[in-house]
Amino acid sequence: MSKEENRTPSAFPPRKRLIAAAVFAVAAAGAAFLYFHPPGEFKFYPGCLFFKLTGLYCPACGNTRALYRLLHGDLPGSLHMNPMLVPLLLLAALLFCKPELSRSRAVGWTAFWVVAAFWVLRNIPVFPFTLLAPGG
Amino acid sequence: MFCSQCGSENPDAAAFCVKCGKPFGAPSSAPQQPQVQPPAGVKPAAVPPPQIESHMLGAILSTLFCCLPFGIIAIIYAAQVSDLVAAGNYAAAAEKSAKAKNWIWAAIICNLLGWVITVASIVIFVFYSTVNA
């Protein structure tokens, strides 16, 4: 009886499974489209609104080009455009496989401080930091 | 006892949450159970904390793919959820959890809006160039 009550609910209740399936479907469709439409040749990608408004890079600037290169197996090229795409994708995969980690304070605050530091540093137009900017 | 849905505190004998009305299981099947002392050396199986979603996964994905700093705000709220859950403040954690979710949606909607404007401007451009040709 007490075992039955104390059992934690399934990590993926039906509603969450539906959301996960929708996210996967959109991601697969987006990735398939991106694979055949390189961001350099096709001008219709919206680009970063934050960059257009402020002239500063956001933490995700360069992600379209980075993901295009990653989809074509070009890991160095991907890191060149946005060095945070691959690590954050790995973290997302980890959180998806181990949902209890998303309640970890260490993981949460590390993710925040790394992304915040990355955001600031990639906007510094001096040599070592220019490596973090798109195409750097 | 804390509600597993909204995190608000309830009397232990309550059948429904005072705040959101979530039923706490059949009362007949839940007699008051004495706290069993776990054997020494074994990690005590604590009362399961209410499942408050931190939305960290969604926050990271929206930071990656929605290209707006809203995702970072969602990461801050998601991290605060884990702090508050660790501190046992489930009501405040539920509040932060809702805020994280709202910022994720804000990022998604802004991103979709960007795509709608992009597609609309392409359509208008193509329309005018064919009309002028």
Side-chain angles (χ1 to χ4, degrees):
Chain A
M1 175 70 75
S2 101
K3 227 182 206 171
E4 200 62 31
E5 278 169 7
N6 285 347
R7 193 198 287 164
T8 46
S10 161
F12 292 106
R15 189 179 60 88
K16 268 184 151 182
R17 252 182 255 169
L18 199 70
I19 294 174
V23 170
F24 268 113
V26 171
F33 181 84
L34 180 62
Y35 187 90
F36 295 108
H37 298 81
E41 288 171 38
F42 294 86
K43 300 291 178 203
F44 47 71
Y45 291 101
C48 181
L49 193 62
F50 182 77
F51 180 73
K52 279 180 193 157
L53 291 176
T54 63
L56 295 169
Y57 299 123
C58 86
C61 276
N63 260 351
T64 314
R65 287 163 284 171
L67 192 60
Y68 176 82
R69 282 160 174 74
L70 191 65
L71 288 173
H72 287 263
D74 179 9
L75 181 64
S78 169
L79 296 174
H80 200 55
M81 283 302 163
N82 190 329
M84 283 308 279
L85 175 69
V86 173
L88 282 184
L89 276 180
L90 289 176
L91 175 61
L94 187 69
L95 291 185
F96 182 76
C97 297
K98 292 194 175 294
E100 69 273 13
L101 273 183
S102 62
R103 291 188 195 87
S104 148
R105 302 165 70 190
V107 169
W109 286 113
T110 307
F112 166 69
W113 284 114
V114 167
V115 173
F118 175 64
W119 189 2
V120 173
L121 293 179
R122 73 186 319 209
N123 279 296
I124 300 175
V126 180
F127 165 64
F129 305 114
T130 49
L131 292 175
L132 300 175
Chain B
M1 171 164 72
F2 292 96
C3 174
S4 63
Q5 183 164 287
C6 70
S8 51
E9 192 168 7
N10 282 275
D12 282 345
F16 297 93
C17 173
V18 290
K19 200 174 174 196
C20 68
K22 182 186 164 67
F24 290 131
S28 61
S29 69
Q32 287 296 315
Q33 292 195 351
Q35 280 288 327
V36 183
Q37 203 63 37
V42 176
K43 216 177 170 190
V47 183
Q51 297 283 314
I52 296 171
E53 204 49 57
S54 76
H55 297 295
M56 183 54 85
L57 178 56
I60 287 171
L61 288 179
S62 64
T63 304
L64 269 180
F65 296 112
C66 293
C67 200
L68 272 164
F70 293 165
I72 312 241
I73 301 172
I75 291 183
I76 298 176
Y77 280 122
Q80 284 177 342
V81 170
S82 52
D83 277 356
L84 289 164
V85 168
N89 192 346
Y90 297 115
E95 234 167 76
K96 299 283 184 191
S97 167
K99 281 187 176 160
K101 197 175 170 185
N102 288 345
W103 283 107
I104 292 168
W105 277 111
I108 293 172
I109 288 167
C110 276
N111 193 44
L112 288 181
L113 216 62
W115 277 102
V116 167
I117 292 169
T118 305
V119 171
S121 53
I122 291 171
V123 168
I124 291 169
F125 175 76
V126 170
F127 178 73
Y128 273 98
S129 47
T130 46
V131 163
N132 290 336

XYZ file of all heavy atoms in Angstrom, chain B residues 116-126:
81
model
N 6.263 34.437 -39.270
C 5.070 34.920 -39.981
C 5.418 36.193 -40.747
O 5.090 36.338 -41.930
C 3.917 35.162 -38.979
C 2.797 35.959 -39.637
C 3.382 33.842 -38.462
N 6.132 37.131 -40.078
C 6.516 38.385 -40.736
C 7.432 38.093 -41.920
O 7.270 38.660 -43.000
C 7.203 39.325 -39.715
C 6.178 39.795 -38.682
C 7.847 40.511 -40.414
C 6.779 40.497 -37.490
N 8.378 37.162 -41.718
C 9.303 36.811 -42.805
C 8.554 36.272 -44.008
O 8.743 36.726 -45.139
C 10.303 35.751 -42.313
O 10.940 36.249 -41.137
C 11.334 35.440 -43.361
N 7.674 35.283 -43.756
C 6.932 34.658 -44.853
C 6.038 35.696 -45.528
O 5.979 35.775 -46.759
C 6.109 33.460 -44.330
C 5.169 32.941 -45.402
C 7.036 32.350 -43.859
N 5.392 36.548 -44.720
C 4.505 37.568 -45.285
C 5.295 38.532 -46.167
O 4.843 38.892 -47.268
C 3.800 38.326 -44.163
N 6.496 38.938 -45.710
C 7.262 39.893 -46.509
C 7.753 39.254 -47.806
O 7.799 39.916 -48.840
C 8.413 40.478 -45.697
O 9.173 39.449 -45.144
N 8.077 37.939 -47.754
C 8.472 37.253 -48.995
C 7.297 37.233 -49.967
O 7.433 37.559 -51.149
C 8.934 35.804 -48.692
C 10.262 35.821 -47.934
C 9.100 35.023 -49.984
C 10.666 34.467 -47.417
N 6.102 36.913 -49.440
C 4.913 36.842 -50.294
C 4.644 38.206 -50.915
O 4.407 38.329 -52.127
C 3.695 36.346 -49.473
C 2.404 36.547 -50.249
C 3.882 34.886 -49.096
N 4.729 39.274 -50.095
C 4.473 40.622 -50.604
C 5.515 40.998 -51.650
O 5.196 41.527 -52.716
C 4.464 41.639 -49.435
C 3.230 41.404 -48.568
C 4.486 43.071 -49.962
C 3.248 42.145 -47.259
N 6.784 40.656 -51.373
C 7.868 40.977 -52.317
C 7.642 40.277 -53.652
O 7.722 40.898 -54.718
C 9.205 40.560 -51.702
C 10.378 40.732 -52.610
C 10.908 41.999 -52.839
C 10.940 39.644 -53.255
C 11.981 42.163 -53.686
C 12.016 39.802 -54.109
C 12.541 41.062 -54.332
N 7.337 38.979 -53.588
C 7.123 38.207 -54.821
C 5.916 38.768 -55.569
O 5.943 38.949 -56.796
C 6.918 36.710 -54.485
C 6.452 35.942 -55.703
C 8.209 36.126 -53.935
